[in-house]
């Protein structure tokens, strides 16, 4: 199979009339990488993908595939294949004809096409289903046919637009692993779009988080989760407790925040914010629910806060504990289920504690609504 | 309550009977007249079962060439209208959204313009073009077929476009994009994705276009030139009086329509059945298995029986010979006429005797009454006054070209003498000569 090639977006702007759908995007995707765009609905993910596949030209900036400027090159001339949000299988063609459509338009003989189709059908674990119509397949099977059809074109870059969004949870999880496996096998560049952070984090080498046409952060899943670049990323990816306040002191990577309602708390300054925060600046501090724990020692400390348990939810592997701190500040804590039956603590006053390294400080910014 | 229900049901049934009678009655009457022997199409009194009108039809050169012209025009119109309609519908999906409503109004307008206007304007327009190009008056721009196809297509293309728009609205443009993305050129995407999707609509539009073209009169009447279509021929014929061969043509058209509709319906039902059962279409389209479809559909059974009836009549026509019946009917009529003549003579005799008894002045007054003299018959036909001269037996000698059946064909107004007028004979069955 062909080796994947780099895809670069340089200062790409995309406008629909006066509406700016993508604002100054700079994204570098390395060859053979599984790269995801993550963002809420309507943030411009599909728009970026359409610019890469050639269905629309950027209003400004350059799209490069394999180092080559793609301006003026139509979708049928680009080394990309797109798996559409709704799959777009050809309803009147049989499965095998769907898969080998890219060969048919090149004039490959029917016998050769059939042979190639059978190979690909084997690969997607759908042998002997080639003579069915797409309408006679299940959702997951259609999904795999769409992937096979795109792979049959032997693209250097495979673009996937939320291909799993229509599937149920179990199948989605199964297809995630399968997609990742396929990607590793064929070794081409995958650009994957999703608004499901679980998908983005589990499958991707790198993730770009988008907010309303702006790319907020590009990093691997670990960094996105633990070291968010903006309050939006911190609140959109995973769950977070947000504390607003002012910076009281800075010491190396760590900062002491004078929060509005929960006293003075210690946290690490996010990598993206280093050198941008001064003492006295307003700031936002984020503590993940799973970073919190019940403190054995109740003495006040800059990594402890007190709150009353409002109610608890049992979710299988974790307990979600909803607490109310000073002045009605809502705090969420997740405790791992370690087997013993946990005594419900509703109404109790607890002291929480966290590892300061797991809390991050960022300059004030927009949060993800939700 | 029960009585009310009954009444309601009765009204409903009565309504249905009236409704279907209104719809189908004329067709049935017309079909029956095609098999009755009188030369003027009529259902009652039933005289003799005959197939000669089909023969007459088959030998009518004008009707035949009319059909031929209609088919040529129809095929031409189908081609032109389907292509223009498809192009028009495609433009509608591509055009700048703000222009869409305006564009739609413009291309749909020909349906609203009277056909007569379209006919005249087609004629005038192409005449102008002809003059502008400096062609002679006999050029193809004046050709009846050419003009008729163009004239009809102006509005039939709009019909086709409506069919295509309806189908296109259900087309997922993502499919075209997918094809392009997989390396197809625009032409390939059109040919391999959009065209197959439009195929059923193209079929419907073609049938619609052909039927609309075949039955068109008011546009064609201005454009046909030297190539009258079937509708034009029929209209011209009706002006000079008709005979049941037109009924037989109608019957053939009805049978063809019924058979066509039936075949289409069977095909459609089978496909639905196949999809409903989840079987692949290919599995059901092969092999013959109708019973299930018939069980739930008495109308289909009736239609099949009607179609079978049509075919068996054709077969029967080869075997059955109505001459004997006709001779019988003629004989009967002659007897009845003879009786009547006798009665009238009796009366006249009595009157004369009375007059003779009353005197000559009374005789003069009786001049106003139609005299019984044989020479006066042509002036007063239709009143049953004729002499022995018109004995049907003599006719064979006076009109040797006419087939023996002729006298029986048009006793339409009960006026035997009228029929024997040689002029009328020619009109009633010009093909016979
Ligand atoms: N052809 C267009 N004309 C005008 N605006 C458009 C067009 N296509 C997209 N937009 C706008 O651009 C923005 C981004 O759209 P896009 O389809 O990229 O969203 P998305 O991130 O893919 O969302 P989703 O997750 O719901 O698919 C939206 O606000 C949308 O309304
Ligand atoms: Mg999208």
């Amino acid at each position: 199979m062909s080796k994947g090639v780099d895809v670069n977006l340089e200062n790409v702007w995309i406008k629909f009339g006066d509406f700016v759908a993508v604002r100054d995007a700079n994204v570098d995707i390395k060859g053979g990488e599984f790269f995801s765009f993550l963002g809420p609905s309507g943030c411009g993910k599909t728009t970026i993908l359409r610019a890469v596949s050639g269905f629309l030209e950027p209003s400004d900036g350059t799209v490069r595939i394999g180092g080559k400027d793609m301006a003026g090159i139509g979708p049928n001339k680009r080394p990309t294949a797109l798996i559409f949000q709704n799959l777009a299988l050809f309803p009147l063609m049989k499965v095998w004809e769907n898969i080998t459509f890219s060969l048919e338009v090149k004039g490959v003989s029917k016998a050769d096409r059939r042979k190639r189709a059978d190979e690909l059908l084997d690969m997607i674990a759908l042998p002997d289903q080639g003579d069915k119509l797409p309408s006679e397949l299940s959702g997951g099977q259609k999904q795999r046919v769409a992937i096979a059809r795109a792979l049959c074109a032997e693209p250097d870059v495979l673009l996937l637009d939320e291909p799993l969004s229509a599937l149920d949870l179990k199948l989605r999880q199964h297809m995630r692993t399968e997609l990742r496996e396929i990607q590793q096998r064929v070794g081409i560049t995958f650009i994957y779009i999703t608004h499901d952070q679980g998908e983005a984090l589990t499958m991707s080498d790198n993730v770009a988080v988008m907010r309303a046409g702006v790319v907020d952060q590009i990093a691997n899943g670990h960094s996105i989760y633990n070291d968010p670049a903006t309050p939006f990323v911190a609140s959109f990816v995973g769950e977070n407790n947000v504390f607003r306040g002012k910076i009281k002191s800075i010491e190396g990577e760590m900062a002491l925040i004078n929060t509005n309602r929960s006293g003075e708390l210690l946290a690490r300054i996010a990598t993206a914010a280093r050198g941008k925060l001064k003492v006295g600046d307003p700031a936002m501090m984020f503590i993940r629910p799973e970073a919190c724990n019940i403190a054995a020692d109740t003495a006040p400390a800059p990594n402890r806060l007190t709150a009353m348990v409002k109610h608890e939810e049992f979710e299988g592997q974790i307990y979600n504990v909803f607490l109310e701190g000073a002045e009605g500040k809502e705090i969420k804590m997740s405790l791992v289920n370690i087997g013993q039956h946990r005594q419900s603590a509703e109404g109790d006053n607890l002291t929480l504690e966290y590892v300061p390294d797991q809390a991050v400080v960022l300059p004030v910014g927009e949060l993800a609504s939700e | 309550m029960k009585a009310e229900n009954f009444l309601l049901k009765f009204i409903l049934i009565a309504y249905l009977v009236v409704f279907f009678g209104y719809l189908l009655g004329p067709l049935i009457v017309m079909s029956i007249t095609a098999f009755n022997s009188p030369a003027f199409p009529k259902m009652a009194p039933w005289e003799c079962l005959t197939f000669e009108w089909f023969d007459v039809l088959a030998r009518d050169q004008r009707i035949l060439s009319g059909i031929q012209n209609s088919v040529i025009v129809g095929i031409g119109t189908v081609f032109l209208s389907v292509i223009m309609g498809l192009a028009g519908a495609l433009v509608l999906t591509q055009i700048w959204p703000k222009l869409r409503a305006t564009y739609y109004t413009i291309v749909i307008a020909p349906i609203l313009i009277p056909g007569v206007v379209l006919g005249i304007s087609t004629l005038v327009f192409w005449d102008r073009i002809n003059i502008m190009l400096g062609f002679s008056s006999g050029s193809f721009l004046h050709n009846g077929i050419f003009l008729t196809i163009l004239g009809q297509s102006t509005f039939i293309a709009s019909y086709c476009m409506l069919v295509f728009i309806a189908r296109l609205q259900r087309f997922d443009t993502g499919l075209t994009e997918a094809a392009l993305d997989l390396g197809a050129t625009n032409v390939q995407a059109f040919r391999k994705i959009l065209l197959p999707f439009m195929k059923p609509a193209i079929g419907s539009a073609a049938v619609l276009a052909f039927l609309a073209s075949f039955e068109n009169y008011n546009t064609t009447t201005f454009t046909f030139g030297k190539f009258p279509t079937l509708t034009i021929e029929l209209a011209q014929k009706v002006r000079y009086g008709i005979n049941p061969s037109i009924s037989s043509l109608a019957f053939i058209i009805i049978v063809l329509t019924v058979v066509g509709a039936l075949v289409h319906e069977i095909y459609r039902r089978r496909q639905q059945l196949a999809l409903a059962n989840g079987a692949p279409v290919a599995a059901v389209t092969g092999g013959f298995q109708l019973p299930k479809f018939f069980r739930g559909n008495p109308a289909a059974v009736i239609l099949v029986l009607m179609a079978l009836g049509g075919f068996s009549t054709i077969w029967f026509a080869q075997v059955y010979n109505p001459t004997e019946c006709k001779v019988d009917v003629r004989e009967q009529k002659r007897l009845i006429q003879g009786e009547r003549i006798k009665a009238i003579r009796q009366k006249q005799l009595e009157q004369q005797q009375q007059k003779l008894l009353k005197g000559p002045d009374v005789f003069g007054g009786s001049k106003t009454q139609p005299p019984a003299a044989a020479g006066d018959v042509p002036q007063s036909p239709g009143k049953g006054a004729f002499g022995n001269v018109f004995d049907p037996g003599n006719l064979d000698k006076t009109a040797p070209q006419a087939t023996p059946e002729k006298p029986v064909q048009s006793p339409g107004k009960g006026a035997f003498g009228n029929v024997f007028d040689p002029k009328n004979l020619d009109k009633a069955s010009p093909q016979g000569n």
Side-chain angles (χ1 to χ4, degrees):
Chain A
M1 289 267 177
S2 51
K3 191 84 183 83
V5 300
D6 291 4
V7 176
N8 309 92
L9 306 184
E10 291 164 14
N11 306 101
V12 169
W13 291 70
I14 299 169
K15 295 176 191 158
F16 297 109
D18 290 336
F19 178 76
V20 182
V22 175
R23 189 181 295 269
D24 198 20
N26 283 286
V27 183
D28 294 314
I29 303 167
K30 281 195 283 300
E33 186 174 36
F34 197 121
F35 190 93
S36 293
F37 280 94
L38 174 64
S41 186
C43 69
K45 305 182 297 288
T46 300
T47 307
I48 283 194
L49 214 61
R50 290 173 67 80
V52 173
S53 56
F55 289 113
L56 58 85
E57 288 284 332
S59 319
D60 199 5
T62 319
V63 175
R64 286 182 203 281
I65 299 176
K68 219 172 114 199
D69 187 352
M70 285 289 130
I73 298 178
N76 47 3
K77 298 263 162 36
R78 296 192 183 190
T80 58
L82 176 58
I83 295 177
F84 288 76
Q85 205 158 359
N86 62 356
L87 302 186
L89 294 178
F90 307 128
L92 300 176
M93 292 185 194
K94 288 177 181 165
V95 165
W96 79 268
E97 290 169 322
N98 257 289
I99 291 177
T100 54
F101 184 81
S102 53
L103 301 180
E104 188 186 339
V105 298
K106 277 190 217 140
V108 175
S109 78
K110 192 173 168 183
D112 289 349
R113 277 188 284 137
R114 187 74 220 216
K115 216 175 116 229
R116 183 83 184 106
D118 287 340
E119 285 169 20
L120 283 162
L121 282 167
D122 277 343
M123 188 195 85
I124 58 170
L126 283 179
D128 308 322
Q129 308 264 18
D131 284 316
K132 283 189 175 175
L133 287 175
S135 57
E136 296 162 355
L137 296 179
S138 75
Q141 290 172 333
K142 277 184 204 159
Q143 187 62 60
R144 283 182 268 172
V145 170
I147 293 167
R149 182 177 75 176
L151 289 177
C152 184
E154 303 198 347
D156 297 328
V157 181
L158 188 65
L159 309 167
L160 305 98
D161 192 353
E162 303 196 35
L164 307 185
S165 57
L167 306 182
D168 63 61
L169 184 68
K170 263 269 145 54
L171 195 54
R172 202 152 66 216
Q173 286 172 341
H174 173 73
M175 288 304 297
R176 274 184 202 172
T177 351
E178 206 152 309
L179 270 180
R180 186 71 185 154
E181 269 174 30
I182 291 173
Q183 195 263 336
Q184 277 160 359
R185 206 171 334 145
V186 298
I188 59 173
T189 313
F190 270 44
I191 301 181
Y192 190 91
I193 281 190
T194 182
H195 57 244
D196 179 332
Q197 34 160 318
E199 254 169 56
L201 296 181
T202 45
M203 298 197 287
S204 323
D205 297 315
N206 279 305
V207 179
V209 182
M210 285 186 75
R211 164 180 54 101
V214 181
V215 178
D216 262 16
Q217 185 174 12
I218 302 173
N220 61 32
H222 195 267
S223 303
I224 295 274
Y225 195 82
N226 292 324
D227 193 17
T230 63
F232 175 82
V233 176
S235 54
F236 183 73
V237 182
E239 281 177 290
N240 246 326
N241 295 301
V242 189
F243 297 86
R244 290 163 201 266
K246 282 202 169 71
I247 294 180
K248 188 165 181 231
S249 65
I250 296 178
E251 198 176 312
E253 287 186 7
M254 305 307 284
L256 193 63
I257 320 293
N258 191 2
T259 63
N260 294 348
R261 291 185 282 185
S262 309
E264 291 178 5
L265 294 173
L266 192 62
R268 179 174 52 86
I269 301 171
T271 315
R274 301 254 161 93
K276 289 182 191 156
L277 286 171
K278 301 187 304 286
V279 174
D281 279 355
M284 281 177 157
M285 195 195 118
F286 297 88
I287 307 176
R288 299 251 177 225
E290 68 272 15
C292 298
N293 245 314
I294 300 169
D297 182 358
T298 53
N303 67 335
R304 290 193 190 134
L305 60 159
T306 55
M308 189 188 73
V309 178
K310 294 287 284 181
H311 74 275
E312 291 186 5
E313 275 173 5
F314 177 57
E315 213 181 75
Q317 64 205 34
I318 52 168
Y319 293 94
N320 288 319
V321 185
F322 297 89
L323 305 111
E324 194 179 293
E327 294 173 53
K329 170 73 193 169
E330 284 176 12
I331 300 167
K332 186 180 170 186
M333 170 173 71
S334 298
L335 299 173
V336 180
N337 179 3
I338 47 168
Q340 305 115 311
H341 184 66
R342 218 185 86 87
Q343 213 62 43
S344 173
E346 272 177 39
D348 290 2
N349 274 309
L350 292 178
T351 301
L352 308 184
E353 124 187 296
Y354 63 91
V355 182
D357 209 34
Q358 285 187 314
V360 289
V361 181
L362 285 165
V364 173
E366 198 183 314
L367 296 175
S369 53
E370 254 184 295
Chain B
M1 283 302 276
K2 257 193 175 170
E4 226 169 72
N5 268 346
F6 180 77
L7 193 70
L8 222 75
K9 235 180 203 173
F10 178 78
I11 291 175
L12 186 71
I13 290 172
Y15 170 76
L16 286 178
V17 167
V18 170
F19 180 70
F20 282 105
Y22 170 72
L23 276 186
L24 304 176
L27 298 183
I28 292 169
V29 169
M30 190 151 199
S31 300
I32 292 174
T33 60
F35 298 97
N36 199 2
S37 54
F40 185 82
K42 56 183 195 167
M43 189 171 75
W46 180 261
E47 287 179 6
C48 289
L49 177 64
T50 178
F51 300 97
E52 71 186 281
W53 302 121
F54 289 89
D55 261 4
V56 171
L57 178 72
R59 270 189 259 110
D60 189 332
Q61 276 315 312
R62 290 183 60 186
I63 291 276
L64 290 184
S65 75
I67 292 176
Q68 194 189 339
N69 289 336
S70 277
V71 169
I72 293 171
V73 167
I75 291 171
T77 306
V78 164
F79 267 100
L80 200 58
S81 303
V82 166
I83 290 170
M84 291 204 302
L86 186 57
L90 287 175
V91 168
L92 187 70
T93 62
Q94 303 292 319
I95 205 169
W96 196 38
K98 278 181 190 160
L99 269 179
R100 223 165 263 175
T102 317
Y103 172 80
Y104 184 78
T105 315
I106 292 171
V107 290
I108 235 61
I111 293 180
L112 306 173
I113 297 172
V116 178
V117 176
L118 292 178
I120 296 172
S121 50
T122 304
L123 194 64
V124 172
F125 178 76
W126 290 100
D127 184 54
R128 282 302 121 104
I129 298 254
N130 200 36
I131 291 169
M132 265 168 56
L133 295 177
F135 291 162
S136 73
S137 65
S139 81
F140 75 98
L141 294 180
H142 278 166
N143 179 295
I145 300 258
F146 172 80
L147 286 179
T148 308
I149 290 176
L150 286 180
Q152 291 185 351
S153 296
T154 49
F155 70 96
I156 293 178
S158 298
Y159 287 142
C160 293
M161 200 187 73
L162 288 181
V163 175
F164 291 135
I165 286 175
R167 180 86 182 152
L168 271 177
Q169 272 168 352
R170 289 195 285 139
F171 182 70
D172 175 10
T173 46
L175 295 180
T176 305
E177 290 192 342
L180 291 177
D181 189 59
L182 291 167
T185 61
N186 279 307
V187 176
Q188 280 173 324
F190 175 76
R191 213 160 44 81
K192 289 178 191 287
I193 307 297
L194 186 61
L195 219 49
F197 176 83
M198 295 303 288
K199 224 163 94 183
I202 291 173
S204 318
V207 172
L208 188 80
F210 188 82
L211 292 181
S213 159
F214 204 81
E215 59 121 52
N216 182 266
Y217 177 78
N218 42 12
T219 301
T220 314
T221 192
F222 291 97
T223 55
F224 69 87
K226 293 197 190 90
F227 299 92
T229 61
L230 182 63
T231 46
I232 301 289
E233 283 291 10
L234 288 181
Q236 286 180 347
K237 250 177 145 40
V238 169
R239 246 185 278 164
Y240 302 112
I242 52 172
N243 69 32
S245 66
I246 287 173
S247 301
S248 58
L249 178 65
F251 179 77
I252 290 171
I253 291 174
I254 291 169
V255 168
L256 286 180
T257 313
V258 167
V259 170
L262 205 65
V263 167
H264 178 257
E265 183 70 8
I266 288 172
Y267 179 74
R268 206 176 59 81
R269 288 277 180 130
R270 271 222 229 145
Q271 260 187 342
Q272 270 183 358
L273 210 73
L275 292 179
N277 293 346
V281 182
V284 211
T285 38
F288 202 71
Q289 35 153 260
L290 284 180
K292 202 167 183 183
F293 146 64
F294 276 116
R295 242 175 276 144
N297 191 354
V301 180
I302 293 169
L303 287 180
V304 167
L305 291 180
M306 271 172 70
L308 284 180
F311 285 125
S312 55
T313 41
I314 292 170
W315 169 79
F316 190 56
Q318 313 293 320
V319 188
Y320 169 75
N321 188 352
T323 324
E324 214 170 288
C325 163
K326 283 182 183 169
V327 173
D328 277 357
V329 169
R330 199 166 58 195
E331 200 60 36
Q332 232 169 357
K333 282 193 179 169
R334 192 161 47 187
L335 283 178
I336 294 169
Q337 296 294 356
E339 297 274 296
R340 261 200 249 169
I341 289 165
K342 255 188 215 163
I344 291 167
R345 276 211 198 128
Q346 197 79 31
K347 238 187 202 169
Q348 284 171 341
L349 220 71
E350 277 169 20
Q351 275 177 349
Q352 259 174 0
Q353 277 172 348
Q354 275 176 357
K355 279 173 203 160
L356 280 176
L357 284 173
K358 281 187 178 171
D361 54 322
V362 186
F363 187 71
S366 75
K367 263 181 189 169
T368 48
Q369 282 181 355
D376 289 342
V377 169
Q379 283 131 309
S380 59
K383 277 158 195 152
F386 32 69
N388 312 351
V389 192
F390 291 99
D391 184 315
N394 291 343
L395 194 87
D396 287 350
K397 288 169 213 160
T398 55
Q401 321 94 300
T403 48
E405 299 94 290
K406 279 288 144 57
V408 201
Q409 279 164 14
S410 53
K413 284 126 205 163
F416 228 48
N418 205 7
V419 181
F420 296 139
D421 184 346
K423 276 187 213 160
N424 283 351
L425 250 182
D426 281 352
K427 274 182 203 165
S429 53
Q431 309 89 336
N433 296 337

